[in-house]
């Protein structure tokens, strides 16, 4: 959600900004995990309201960005198959694999359809049973339940022409990897709103308990984000990190049990490759053996190989918050939204694209 | 060629530059919405490939006239004569074609535009998405000093005549299977409204915010005039339904096309009078002054957000693609 709503009064935001200036009495490094937060922070110009002491780094919360080069190539290998429809979320279309993109394959004649839900992908298969539909199942706990649910539907229908290329990933294990990385030296996480709707809060408790990292789940409006920043700054100041939820109208502490049940029914957790973070144990959702006939990897022999990222591309370091996008040599030169090299520049939620769009040449100061 | 080359953003500009490279170039081709010809005439051409052919608030027939009429209107030219090209796919129902032609004709009738020449082609099934139209419209200049981004000066006011992005949001909702109550394309001929402000001395330039949306118009203005533009999010007359479509699909509302929405720049002192004239017409009921032209940050468009922060406004890159979550 872009949360472009007049409900956020400038006075309240100003107060929150003042509180943050007061609380951040030493440099603090906060990672906003979710790509939607990254974009929302930029879109709403919130960076202009932060104290110098508070640095925001963008995390691995853009599903397209963390999809590994090998996974992208695996998806692209489907384009050569006869009689096959590739159903994909829009962001994936322009991500460069090794040598091509789904958009390029589509202009060469591959049948690539943009869908906005797993349901739409299933409908494609139901409406034309003479062709195979492979759904590129990308995303975190936000989209994984929907994939699980359509796999169950396809299983009940006895559908033979529907498959998924399962690339779903789980957020909490990736946060563990980042928390344990001493190079990163994170003080706090702004936890993702939508993912937490499913996972609940317990999934993150290990972050403050084991790594002493302050955590707050935030909504997407300016006020929600600013309040969450104030909350983590307060936790840091009083040295009592915990998992706070400031998005209680959407996130229940226990999460969405029904959605997790559907995921448990269909998926098993396994090691998965993340761009920039490497292979993270138990961080990928894979189809259980009993659903193997809906698994493009099993049915079509698609393989996810280990492929190095494009030369010079530092998306991995950006995703870990080690550098800000303009510090990458390719940024704004050979890598722009028009001709992206890495996924962080392609996706609308990618931090490179957000930097390029909203801050490439400095943010104009507003004079009343 | 990719779909993105046709989406009105940076890729489209690349394509246009490539095409123009093959020609000798003319001083009359000034990158505005239509060309002003010797003798006080103005001409424009546009192709229409909208899918779906019929949508809430209009159809391809109405759109094909409004689009060309608006390209003339924003430069102060009264639309007079029309050339129409029809490319239909084998198997396309004649009855449906006639329905679109009737809605095109009804716009022409209301504006006194005469259809004077045309062309029709039928292509084998699968070679066109049902029906493509193209219209070329000729008009006469109704203003002595030409309008254009070169006229912009620091202190000018920027006005938008209706909520941005209504057409784009309507089509996107249809394409991605969203049912949104109260959402309708703004598809309309702007001449009856814009002709009322042509006598305003301080009128600088006008553009209809089609592909690429309001953001693209403002970016082009600031680049061409080498001046800054600053707008205020809270002054833009947003449409809740269009915003909700953008929210769900992850689109930037300022990038969404309108088909009956103009951006108008006018000398600061004449802004209120111009706004009042626009508001006298139904199409301009929600018109609003949204910002101003500045000497600072030349070539850049800034927006003050609801939350009081500031950021840049950019133009879209290529095809607008819905995001994952």
């Amino acid at each position: 959600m872009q949360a472009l709503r007049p409900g956020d009064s400038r006075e309240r935001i100003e107060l929150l900004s003042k509180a943050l200036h007061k609380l951040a009495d030493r440099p603090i490094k906060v990672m906003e995990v979710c790509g939607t937060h990254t974009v929302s922070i930029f879109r709403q110009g919130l960076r202009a309201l932060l104290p110098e002491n508070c640095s925001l780094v963008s995390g691995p919360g853009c599903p397209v960005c963390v999809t590994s080069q090998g996974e992208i190539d695996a998806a692209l290998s489907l384009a050569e198959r006869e009689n096959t429809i590739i159903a994909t979320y829009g962001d994936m279309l322009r991500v460069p694999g090794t040598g091509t993109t789904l958009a390029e394959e589509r202009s060469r004649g591959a049948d690539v359809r943009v869908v906005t839900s797993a349901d739409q992908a299933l409908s494609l298969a139901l409406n034309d049973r003479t062709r195979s539909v492979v759904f590129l199942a990308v995303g975190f706990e936000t989209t994984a339940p929907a994939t699980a649910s359509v796999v169950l539907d396809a299983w009940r229908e006895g559908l033979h022409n529907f498959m998924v290329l399962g690339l779903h990933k789980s957020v909490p294990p990736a946060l563990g990897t980042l928390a344990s990385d001493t190079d990163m030296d994170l003080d706090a996480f702004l936890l993702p709103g939508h993912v937490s709707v499913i996972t609940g809060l317990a999934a993150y408790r290990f972050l403050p308990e084991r790594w002493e990292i302050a955590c707050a789940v935030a909504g997407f409006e300016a006020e929600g984000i600013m309040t969450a920043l104030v909350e983590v700054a307060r936790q840091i100041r009083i040295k009592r990190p915990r998992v706070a939820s400031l998005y209680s109208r959407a996130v229940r502490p226990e999460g969405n049990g029904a959605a997790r049940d559907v995921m448990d029914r269909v998926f098993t957790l396994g090691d998965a490759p993340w761009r920039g973070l490497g292979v993270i144990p138990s961080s990928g959702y894979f189809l259980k053996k009993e659903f193997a006939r809906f698994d493009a990897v099993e049915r079509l022999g698609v393989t996810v190989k280990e492929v190095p990222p494009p030369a010079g591309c530092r998306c991995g370091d950006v995703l870990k918050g080690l550098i800000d996008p303009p510090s990458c040599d390719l940024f704004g030169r050979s890598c722009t939204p028009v001709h992206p090299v890495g996924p962080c520049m392609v996706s609308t939620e990618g931090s490179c694209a957000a930097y390029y769009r909203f801050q490439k040449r400095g943010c104009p100061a507003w004079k009343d | 060629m990719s779909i993105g080359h046709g989406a009105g953003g940076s890729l489209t500009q690349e394509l246009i530059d490539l095409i123009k490279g093959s020609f000798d170039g003319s001083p009359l081709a000034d990158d505005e919405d239509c060309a002003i010809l010797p003798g006080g005439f103005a001409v424009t051409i546009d192709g229409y490939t909208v899918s779906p052919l019929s949508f809430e608030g209009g159809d391809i027939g109405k759109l094909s006239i409004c689009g060309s009429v608006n390209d003339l209107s924003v430069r102060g030219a009264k639309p007079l004569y029309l050339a129409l090209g029809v490319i239909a796919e084998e198997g396309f129902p004649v009855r449906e074609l006639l329905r679109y032609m009737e809605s095109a004709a009804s716009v022409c009738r209301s504006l006194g535009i005469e259809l004077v020449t045309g062309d029709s082609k039928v292509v084998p099934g699968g070679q066109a998405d049902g029906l493509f139209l193209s219209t070329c419209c000729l008009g006469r200049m109704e203003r002595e000093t030409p309008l254009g981004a070169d006229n912009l000066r620091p202190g000018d006011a920027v006005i938008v005549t209706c909520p941005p992005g209504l057409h784009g949001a309507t089509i996107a909702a249809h394409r991605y299977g969203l049912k949104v109550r109260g959402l309708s394309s703004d598809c309309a001929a702007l001449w009856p409204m814009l002709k009322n402000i042509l006598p305003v001395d301080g009128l600088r330039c006008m553009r209809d915010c089609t592909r690429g949306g309001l953001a693209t118009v403002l970016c082009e203005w600031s680049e061409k005039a080498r001046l800054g533009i600053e707008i205020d999010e809270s002054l833009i007359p947003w449409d809740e339904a269009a915003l909700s479509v953008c929210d769900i699909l992850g689109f930037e509302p300022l990038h969404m096309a309108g088909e009956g929405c103009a951006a108008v720049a006018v000398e600061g002192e004449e802004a209120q009078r111009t706004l009042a004239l626009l508001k006298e017409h139904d199409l301009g009921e929600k018109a609003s002054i949204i910002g101003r032209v500045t000497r600072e940050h030349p070539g850049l468009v800034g927006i003050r957000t609801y939350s009081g922060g500031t950021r840049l406004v950019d133009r879209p890159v290529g095809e607008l693609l819905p995001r994952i979550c």
Side-chain angles (χ1 to χ4, degrees):
Chain A
M1 275 187 279
Q2 300 182 331
L4 197 143
R5 291 286 181 274
D8 293 318
S9 92
R10 282 179 189 174
E11 294 72 35
R12 288 203 300 276
I13 303 286
E14 206 183 316
L15 278 176
L16 288 164
S17 167
K18 278 186 183 147
L20 192 57
H21 275 79
K22 251 200 174 106
L23 284 166
D25 57 357
R26 68 164 179 92
I28 58 173
K29 193 169 170 187
V30 185
M31 173 174 277
E32 87 271 3
V33 173
C34 168
T36 313
H37 275 147
T38 304
V39 173
S40 194
I41 288 164
F42 272 110
R43 277 206 88 257
Q44 304 186 74
L46 298 185
R47 280 172 177 262
L49 305 176
L50 302 183
E52 263 179 37
N53 262 344
C54 178
S55 70
L56 280 181
V57 295
S58 308
C62 151
V64 169
C65 305
V66 296
T67 303
S68 75
Q69 195 74 13
E71 289 176 325
I72 306 268
D73 284 351
L76 283 162
S77 73
L78 295 164
E80 293 158 13
R81 305 190 76 90
E82 291 280 299
N83 216 26
T84 302
I85 299 172
I86 301 177
T88 178
Y89 292 121
D91 316 35
M92 289 289 283
L93 218 54
R94 294 176 50 234
V95 184
T98 310
T100 180
T101 66
L102 285 169
E104 277 171 38
E105 292 305 312
R106 183 177 67 177
S107 47
R108 285 194 202 113
D111 194 348
V112 180
R113 313 273 182 97
V114 172
V115 295
T116 53
S117 68
D119 230 34
Q120 288 180 353
L122 183 68
S123 301
L124 290 173
L126 285 167
N127 294 340
D128 181 359
R129 305 216 179 190
T130 65
R131 312 186 64 196
S132 295
V133 173
V134 183
F135 173 52
L136 304 185
V138 180
F140 305 112
E141 279 83 355
T142 33
T143 51
T147 302
S149 162
V150 298
V151 167
L152 284 179
D153 287 345
W155 177 71
R156 283 187 212 106
E157 288 272 337
L159 214 58
H160 290 289
N161 63 329
F162 181 73
M163 280 162 277
V164 303
L165 181 60
L167 305 174
H168 285 300
K169 291 180 168 54
S170 176
V171 169
L175 300 188
T177 300
L178 291 164
S180 63
D181 189 331
T182 46
D183 285 350
M184 302 212 33
D185 203 19
L186 285 177
D187 296 296
F189 281 120
L190 210 59
L191 294 173
H194 298 143
V195 168
S196 305
V197 170
I198 308 295
T199 60
L201 304 181
Y204 305 113
R205 293 250 156 82
F206 73 103
L207 294 167
E209 284 165 12
R210 183 156 175 215
W211 305 105
E212 294 183 355
I213 291 187
C215 293
V217 179
F220 298 94
E221 301 81 358
E223 202 175 328
I225 292 168
M226 290 299 286
T227 313
L229 287 173
V230 169
E231 165 64 22
V232 293
R234 195 183 64 86
Q235 289 180 26
I236 293 166
R237 174 132 158 175
I238 60 170
K239 299 195 173 66
R240 273 162 56 192
R242 64 186 191 106
V243 179
S245 171
L246 295 155
Y247 194 33
S248 53
R249 67 173 190 279
V251 177
R252 279 175 285 162
E254 71 279 13
N256 183 337
R260 286 204 306 272
D261 287 347
V262 178
M263 285 162 70
D264 286 346
R265 173 86 183 81
V266 173
F267 295 127
T268 174
L269 280 170
D271 303 350
W274 293 58
R275 188 181 296 260
L277 305 183
V279 173
I280 300 178
S282 300
S283 69
Y285 291 102
F286 297 95
L287 289 183
K288 285 183 173 167
K289 279 277 171 277
E290 59 179 302
F291 298 104
R293 64 191 176 89
F294 301 107
D295 190 341
V297 171
E298 296 288 329
R299 274 266 299 275
L300 307 175
V302 178
T303 49
V304 177
K305 297 192 190 88
E306 217 175 292
V307 184
C313 171
R314 298 188 67 187
C315 278
D317 291 338
V318 169
L319 289 167
K320 282 164 74 176
L322 287 178
I323 60 166
D324 62 358
S327 306
C328 173
D329 284 340
L330 307 188
F331 180 87
R333 297 183 184 92
S334 57
C335 183
T336 63
V338 181
H339 299 292
V341 175
C344 298
M345 189 60 97
V346 179
S347 168
T348 50
E349 310 251 291
S351 39
C352 294
Y355 260 86
Y356 190 89
R357 282 180 59 189
F358 298 129
Q359 226 176 341
K360 60 191 154 186
R361 290 160 290 183
C363 215
W366 189 275
K367 283 192 289 295
D368 281 313
Chain B
M1 199 92 85
S2 75
I3 286 283
H5 281 107
S10 321
L11 284 172
T12 302
Q13 194 54 49
E14 279 184 15
L15 178 65
I16 291 172
D17 292 341
L18 279 176
I19 293 172
K20 278 165 71 174
S22 302
F23 291 82
D24 293 337
S26 159
L28 301 179
D30 57 1
D31 291 329
E32 294 279 352
D33 278 337
C34 67
I36 296 172
L37 306 177
F41 289 98
V43 69
T44 187
I45 184 164
D46 217 333
Y48 300 87
T49 60
V50 65
S51 165
L53 293 171
S54 187
F55 45 85
E56 199 64 44
D59 59 35
I60 191 172
K62 180 181 178 188
L63 183 67
S64 71
I65 307 300
C66 295
S68 289
V69 163
N70 293 346
D71 282 347
L72 292 182
S73 307
V74 293
R75 293 208 83 181
K78 177 181 163 63
L80 295 172
Y81 301 104
L82 183 82
L84 172 68
V86 178
I87 298 176
E89 201 178 25
E90 176 184 35
F92 191 80
V94 175
R95 188 183 299 230
E96 192 179 342
L97 174 68
L98 291 180
R99 204 166 68 228
Y100 299 139
M101 291 301 108
E102 188 43 55
S103 79
S106 130
V107 183
C108 289
R109 222 169 280 136
S110 72
L111 298 172
I113 296 171
E114 290 172 50
L115 174 67
V116 289
T117 181
D119 178 52
S120 62
K121 295 277 186 301
V122 177
V123 296
Q127 290 192 9
D129 190 5
L131 177 69
F132 294 157
L133 298 180
S134 63
T135 56
C136 172
C137 202
L138 185 82
R140 194 175 48 232
M141 296 300 290
E142 295 272 296
R143 205 184 138 89
E144 275 177 23
T145 44
L147 301 171
D150 295 335
N151 300 333
L152 289 170
R153 297 289 176 270
D156 288 351
V158 176
I159 300 174
V160 65
T161 62
C162 85
L166 288 171
H167 181 74
T170 305
I171 298 300
H174 200 285
R175 238 172 240 179
Y176 294 109
L178 304 173
K179 289 196 178 68
V180 187
R181 209 188 312 180
L183 181 61
S184 173
S185 168
D186 53 350
C187 179
L190 291 168
W191 175 250
M193 171 176 66
L194 295 184
K195 74 174 193 311
N196 297 339
I197 60 169
L198 290 180
V200 175
D201 270 343
L203 189 62
R204 308 294 198 197
C205 54
M206 308 192 281
R207 287 289 285 274
D208 58 337
C209 307
T210 54
R211 280 180 318 177
L214 179 60
T216 300
V217 170
L218 298 181
C219 287
E220 284 178 13
W221 279 358
S222 69
E223 284 163 21
K224 204 163 178 203
R226 295 175 194 281
L227 291 167
I229 294 179
E230 294 177 343
I231 58 173
D232 190 320
E233 198 168 33
S234 64
L235 297 177
I236 298 172
W238 297 109
D239 177 83
E240 275 296 318
L243 281 187
S244 67
V245 169
C246 291
D247 260 5
I248 290 167
L249 296 173
F251 292 155
E252 164 65 61
L254 292 171
H255 290 170
M256 305 299 275
E259 286 295 346
C261 176
V264 175
V266 60
E267 190 186 346
E269 284 177 8
E270 305 229 57
Q272 290 300 339
R273 182 162 85 92
T274 308
L275 184 67
L277 287 169
L278 288 168
K279 279 179 170 292
E280 273 174 20
H281 197 278
D282 287 349
L283 291 174
E285 192 192 336
K286 293 182 179 155
S288 169
I289 300 172
I290 60 166
R292 63 198 174 91
V293 178
T294 67
R295 201 177 297 283
E296 293 81 36
H297 18 267
L300 297 178
V301 181
I303 185 167
R304 183 173 186 194
T305 65
Y306 274 122
S307 41
T310 52
R311 66 166 172 93
L312 289 178
V313 173
D314 70 326
R315 51 176 97 197
V317 172
E319 185 182 6
L320 294 174
L321 296 167
R323 52 116 189 271
I324 292 173
C325 63

